[in-house]
Amino acid sequence: MSQVEIATPKTRRKAQGVGANEGSIARIRELAQARVAIEGVEPMIDAGRFAVKRLAGETLTVSADIFTDGHEIIDAALITRGAGDADWRETPFTFLTNDRWAASVSFDRPGPYRYSIIAWRDVFATWASDTKKKRNAGVDIALELREGQILLEKAAASGRGSKDDQKRLKALRARIDKLAAKGGGDALYEAMTEADTALLLREVGVRENLSRFEIDVPVWVDREAAGFSAWYELMPRSQSGDVNRHGTFDDVIKRLPDIEEMGFDVLYFPPIHPIGKTNRKGKNNNVTAQEGEPGSPYAIGSAEGGHKDLHPELGSFADFQRLVTRAADHGLEIAIDFAIQCSPDHPWIKEHPDWFDWRPDGSIKYAENPPKKYQDIVNVDFYAGGAIPWLWLELRDVVLFWLDKGVRIFRVDNPHTKPFPFWEWMIAEVRERDPGAVFLAEAFTRPKLMKRLAKVGYNQSYSYFTWRNRKWELREYLTELTTAECAEFMRPNFFVNTPDINPLFLQTSGRPGFQLRLALAATLAGNYGVYSGFELCESEPLAPGKEEYLNSEKYEIRAFDWRAPGNIREDIRFFNRIRRSEPALRDFRNLEFYNFWNDEILYYGRRTPDLSSFLLVMVSLDPHHPQGGHFEVPLWEFDLPDNGSVKVEDLVTGQQFVWSGKVQHWWFRPDERPYAVFRISV
Amino acid sequence: MSQVEIATPKTRRKAQGVGANEGSIARIRELAQARVAIEGVEPMIDAGRFAVKRLAGETLTVSADIFTDGHEIIDAALITRGAGDADWRETPFTFLTNDRWAASVSFDRPGPYRYSIIAWRDVFATWASDTKKKRNAGVDIALELREGQILLEKAAASGRGSKDDQKRLKALRARIDKLAAKGGGDALYEAMTEADTALLLREVGVRENLSRFEIDVPVWVDREAAGFSAWYELMPRSQSGDVNRHGTFDDVIKRLPDIEEMGFDVLYFPPIHPIGKTNRKGKNNNVTAQEGEPGSPYAIGSAEGGHKDLHPELGSFADFQRLVTRAADHGLEIAIDFAIQCSPDHPWIKEHPDWFDWRPDGSIKYAENPPKKYQDIVNVDFYAGGAIPWLWLELRDVVLFWLDKGVRIFRVDNPHTKPFPFWEWMIAEVRERDPGAVFLAEAFTRPKLMKRLAKVGYNQSYSYFTWRNRKWELREYLTELTTAECAEFMRPNFFVNTPDINPLFLQTSGRPGFQLRLALAATLAGNYGVYSGFELCESEPLAPGKEEYLNSEKYEIRAFDWRAPGNIREDIRFFNRIRRSEPALRDFRNLEFYNFWNDEILYYGRRTPDLSSFLLVMVSLDPHHPQGGHFEVPLWEFDLPDNGSVKVEDLVTGQQFVWSGKVQHWWFRPDERPYAVFRISV
């Protein structure tokens, strides 16, 4: 650090010599190019380290601070480029205020894109503006007109713009030369400053001091299923209708019409691979299974195979492929589980011992969260001796294997206990083959880890929704999800329940609780999910205060009467229907909370930018008592005064009426229905 | 873009072949290194494009989100490095909450630094924690103890830490081997988990998955004058005391004791170079000067020279050097103006016509802001034919020239009308020679341009302070300056007036207005400045409603009676004295506004982190009427209850007393003094 002390006059003089100037001159040339400052660029995740996400067709609005020194007029363009594009595409920026500019684009196909920004000094527009001011002030502008002509010559010389534009420029210059030859004056001034000239010069004018934002910001574009999907989860082995008979893929095929009728898009199965026998878990997570018990499907791998194999009792690959095809016929896409843990019988343990952790006594390390130990599961070690690259490649190939079988959606078990770099690498590898592959992160962990998983590539994320029941906490959480930076890369999937989560709220709420949680999930998130049994209002816990189901399908085969009385299939159909018919429900970020003067009623709007689909949703959060009160109709969103009127359609009942005035009233009875959905228009 | 469509099974299989895996494996190895995520790093300006600024000795606290997958314990270190340092220096991070970590450092010398972050999985700490949990749960830990010993072996093999630490490790291992040989048990467990072992292993333990933040974040460290200085501005030519005699550097030398007595640190002169004759401006900015009028010092350059020359009537270089030396004897550092504009007589115009803009008729382009035209000034064009690199180099050399004459502080005129890249380059070049060079940006322009100038290297910035008079706007503006991101790189210099700004407020406020604006400037910003005449409460405007001085020194020689009655020299002495004696006033970002229940009284605290210097400042913003009321004593900052007591010293009067209870009362009479400063302690 001694060098940074004040230089003596002698060393200073030396530094000014020719040698020192060589580096100085190189730095001048490098820096001088960026005369127009471009900063505060949004959206951008960690300075472009991770991609912003959009769905195909969805709008991406980029904004930035763009300015230069002095008073010259500037202009700017958003440039975008897909992986296979030969060149960048330009979209003009619009000036907002306070040196802020914005431009919007959308991308029509899934895949990787980049955007950046160029900006320049618009010499012709500056000339026109200055000349107008001088003329208005009575200054002689003869010299200015000559300067303007020189700018037109430079524009012609630069050759920018289309052939047609250059032709137009040629004609303009000929006309102007004639006017100048006649002595110039007002006619010349008019020709050079008329609207058409300004428009033409925007296309062909010289872009002086063309500057470029230094980062190419990555954008990942997904197909719609990544951001807008209704999931139905079931255990194939419980679909026979008989607890004594292991369900098969064919049993699942029989259930497809039923699931289609409810209106779901995605049909998701927990692991369908061979289940280990060593330390197999019994009913209700008993540490030892009785003879004949099926074990947990999450203990993957046995003598019958591993992650690239099917549990034999479910059926053959032919059966599975038939299921995939038939599901598609019913508008359903199959999602499977990608759970990296292994049973102690998994073939990898013998074939690739260097993918695992071995203890000094030669035993293998079981999964644990000390002092808890999961005896039916061992974990691979991603940094074990032979894991890099072979384990990573094999895990990637597992996903590619199922992709090959027609599965393009993967729900990933506990991704936060596996290295983030693995996910980043693996997801990128899969997407090179299929940019439509979708990964849902089942991470119920700390907020920053959940966000990181979304950053490294997950298309969808489980959320804290299951534990958010009060009005204030739902507002707070949804406001974060829809407006904080994470909205640019993390898309929640609101599951109302899962095989692991039997929400405490539902254990005492009765049927209205299931209806209201469904209403929230289906209208607050682009992606939402239901684990079968929910439609039957199943909620018996393993023990009081426990968040696990009694007699969970994770450890035994169950049979259900899917039409049992008290089911909420009609509610599910309703929400899945309006999700498809109402464009307002597609982008989860268009959420706006409105006032309902009752702390038990959550009230919010979802709308398209053009207001052509504008829904108001009210949900009573109280499953036990009638709730109601006054609320505000957001007349201001239509620029209407407080005494204005909107047409209303009650989407549940089909009734149509008019709300006149901003304050209206509504009432819920839990024995009817704890939600209301209105479509409003002017 | 057609490539991104869904790959067919055939192409997929091909992609999985050996060729494709080569790239895949390279990407694994690259990504796998960063197993610990490091993100949300603060402070960092534009992803490290620009430097964070600190003064030598000032604290830099870096915070970041640091986490990894799974439940392993992690650790992290801030690494810092100066330009001449052989290696990085480590400072341990401390865990805060919610995966947030922080570490603080300071730098003792001016110059360029970098910081980054490393983080790793602490395998030994994880082992100790897990083993403790298992032991507490009654699990046999014999195998765990063996595993712990292996970790110690690995630590020894890695050789990390000092020689002493490795010696300690050797001793520890010998002790542990002995205990193990005796059968292990509790004594072995204790030895391996005692506090000293944990401490030692923090130094020598293996850093598994050592990960590094990808950006080396630049930090620029300044000498104190860049962030803490009291400026006094005067026109040397007006220091003779006689309007008929041009002042000289020797006249300025005579005034040094007077300026020292007021307590200033920096003595700043507007341009001292030869003044052009062509189109010279007369008194009160008259477009034509009378014979004998001195002209504006901002019209730089004549037959007598340019930016590297002195106006002959001020004196010789010998005189100037004497002034610099004598000023230093009086504790004053000389600052000069760097104003890039030229008079039409500047030697550069003939010597370097290719640094200027020429019009088609062969005339030179005057400075203008259409329809306004500045006839006595022409501007260089930084992008003209010969400007790059020669103009840029010459301008740099002008600064180096004056640096050589002992000037290290430059107030730069209108930098926002010159290219940002020029400043970035030039300031960096000068700092390579003298990291203590200080540049003050005189940019009164849009907020983002002002911030950009600070980003590209300016150490200090003029501000909007002169136009902020109401309590709400002062609070709002100061909150931005002291807490928004710009606080990391932009240091305001609160000038109370300038030759160009005769604030409207002062034109009607009378003496109390000058006192209160002084109080605000001196206690709200690290840097503040006074343009001579302010201490005499000069405020006569060129015309009613105009922000310019009548008979401005910019266009004529003035003479003043510096001891004229009604001056506020005592107030200036007071504030400059407490600025030096109270460390609380050094860092402008330690500002906290408190409640005074009167909208005309601004009330705030400034304090050191250890509270040893804790000032409360009250300023009545009303120069015309008595103002007073109740205010809150911030007892909570000392963790005192609302009925607690603090010792108080009134720094103005020297009185000492006690405030008991949170709510107290104060009163201001404009004919006394519109401010109060209290030093509080427990």
Side-chain angles (χ1 to χ4, degrees), chain A residues 42-160:
Chain A
E42 288 178 341
M44 182 164 61
I45 311 305
D46 294 355
R49 168 74 179 79
F50 299 108
V52 169
K53 291 191 192 127
R54 284 296 182 275
L55 297 181
E58 216 175 31
T59 299
L60 170 71
T61 298
V62 174
S63 59
D65 297 328
I66 307 175
F67 53 87
T68 190
D69 55 287
H71 81 287
E72 267 78 1
I73 291 171
I74 58 168
D75 206 350
L78 176 66
I79 54 174
T80 54
R81 188 173 192 171
D85 292 350
D87 212 343
W88 294 85
R89 195 180 72 174
E90 275 189 37
T91 307
F93 264 96
T94 304
F95 176 73
L96 304 176
T97 182
N98 191 19
D99 293 309
R100 193 91 187 144
W101 297 65
S104 295
V105 283
S106 71
F107 306 95
D108 54 359
R109 291 160 192 244
Y113 293 80
R114 300 253 163 191
Y115 80 76
S116 194
I117 298 171
I118 53 173
W120 58 90
R121 294 161 85 96
D122 186 337
V123 281
F124 190 81
T126 304
W127 169 87
S129 161
D130 286 357
T131 303
K132 185 180 176 190
K133 280 180 206 158
K134 291 178 194 172
R135 187 169 178 265
N136 291 347
V139 177
D140 174 23
I141 56 163
L143 198 52
E144 277 74 13
L145 291 174
R146 180 72 201 110
E147 287 170 328
Q149 283 177 267
I150 294 170
L151 293 178
L152 295 181
E153 283 161 29
K154 282 189 183 167
S158 83
R160 219 171 60 76

Side-chain angles (χ1 to χ4, degrees), chain B residues 585-603:
Chain B
L585 293 173
R586 303 213 158 211
D587 178 1
F588 75 103
R589 289 162 300 197
N590 64 5
L591 179 69
E592 190 86 47
F593 288 103
Y594 298 122
N595 283 329
F596 200 119
W597 284 281
N598 180 328
D599 281 349
E600 295 292 341
I601 296 174
L602 191 71
Y603 167 42

Side-chain angles (χ1 to χ4, degrees), chain B residues 402-421:
Chain B
W402 292 103
L403 207 61
D404 213 22
K405 304 284 177 230
V407 177
R408 300 175 72 205
I409 306 184
F410 300 87
R411 176 268 197 196
V412 179
D413 195 65
N414 276 325
H416 58 293
T417 62
K418 286 97 195 168
F420 298 104

Side-chain angles (χ1 to χ4, degrees), chain A residues 36 74 113 137 170 177 182 194 285 344 398 416 457 462 481 555 565 579 623:
Chain A
V36 184
I74 58 168
Y113 293 80
K170 203 173 169 182
D177 286 349
K182 280 190 206 158
E194 66 192 16
N285 201 17
V398 166
H416 57 294
Y462 279 70
L481 290 179
Y555 310 105
R579 282 170 56 86

Side-chain angles (χ1 to χ4, degrees), chain B residues 44-284:
Chain B
M44 183 164 61
I45 311 306
D46 295 355
R49 168 76 179 79
F50 299 108
V52 170
K53 291 191 191 124
R54 284 296 182 275
L55 297 181
E58 217 175 28
T59 299
L60 170 72
T61 298
V62 174
S63 59
D65 297 328
I66 306 176
F67 52 86
T68 190
D69 55 287
H71 81 287
E72 267 78 2
I73 292 170
I74 59 168
D75 206 349
L78 176 67
I79 54 174
T80 53
R81 188 174 192 170
D85 292 350
D87 211 344
W88 294 86
R89 194 181 72 174
E90 275 189 37
T91 307
F93 263 97
T94 304
F95 175 73
L96 304 176
T97 182
N98 190 19
D99 294 308
R100 193 91 186 144
W101 298 64
S104 295
V105 285
S106 71
F107 306 96
D108 54 359
R109 290 160 193 245
Y113 293 80
R114 299 253 162 191
Y115 80 77
S116 193
I117 298 172
I118 53 172
W120 59 90
R121 295 161 84 96
D122 186 339
V123 282
F124 190 81
T126 304
W127 169 86
S129 162
D130 286 357
T131 303
K132 186 181 176 187
K133 280 180 203 157
K134 290 178 193 172
R135 187 169 179 267
N136 291 348
V139 177
D140 174 21
I141 56 163
L143 198 51
E144 278 73 13
L145 291 174
R146 179 72 200 111
E147 287 170 328
Q149 284 177 265
I150 294 170
L151 292 179
L152 296 182
E153 284 161 29
K154 282 188 184 167
S158 82
R160 218 171 61 76
S162 68
K163 268 190 185 167
D164 268 9
D165 286 335
Q166 280 292 339
K167 229 189 260 175
R168 276 185 208 104
L169 177 62
K170 204 174 169 184
L172 175 69
R173 288 182 61 212
R175 196 175 125 219
I176 278 169
D177 286 350
K178 238 180 246 172
L179 291 167
K182 280 191 205 158
D186 284 355
L188 179 58
Y189 171 77
E190 297 299 341
M192 293 189 65
T193 55
E194 64 192 18
D196 279 359
T197 305
L199 264 177
L200 177 61
L201 266 289
R202 200 170 181 194
E203 297 304 319
V204 301
V206 172
R207 291 177 166 179
E208 204 173 87
N209 298 120
L210 186 68
S211 308
R212 191 185 188 291
F213 182 56
E214 56 258 41
I215 300 174
D216 286 357
V217 184
V219 180
W220 177 262
V221 174
D222 273 315
R223 65 184 174 113
E224 189 174 56
F228 185 72
S229 59
W231 290 47
Y232 186 72
E233 173 175 4
L234 61 74
M235 291 266 192
R237 71 185 182 191
S238 290
Q239 305 308 312
S240 73
D242 176 356
V243 296
N244 294 312
R245 187 170 72 74
H246 196 286
T248 65
F249 293 130
D250 279 331
D251 291 319
V252 177
I253 288 174
K254 284 182 202 136
R255 285 216 55 217
L256 292 174
D258 190 52
I259 299 161
E260 178 185 23
E261 192 198 54
M262 287 188 280
F264 289 102
D265 312 311
V266 175
L267 176 57
Y268 151 55
F269 307 142
I272 50 178
H273 313 299
I275 296 169
K277 288 189 175 64
T278 304
N279 298 337
R280 178 176 281 191
K281 293 285 179 89
K283 205 174 147 140
N284 286 315

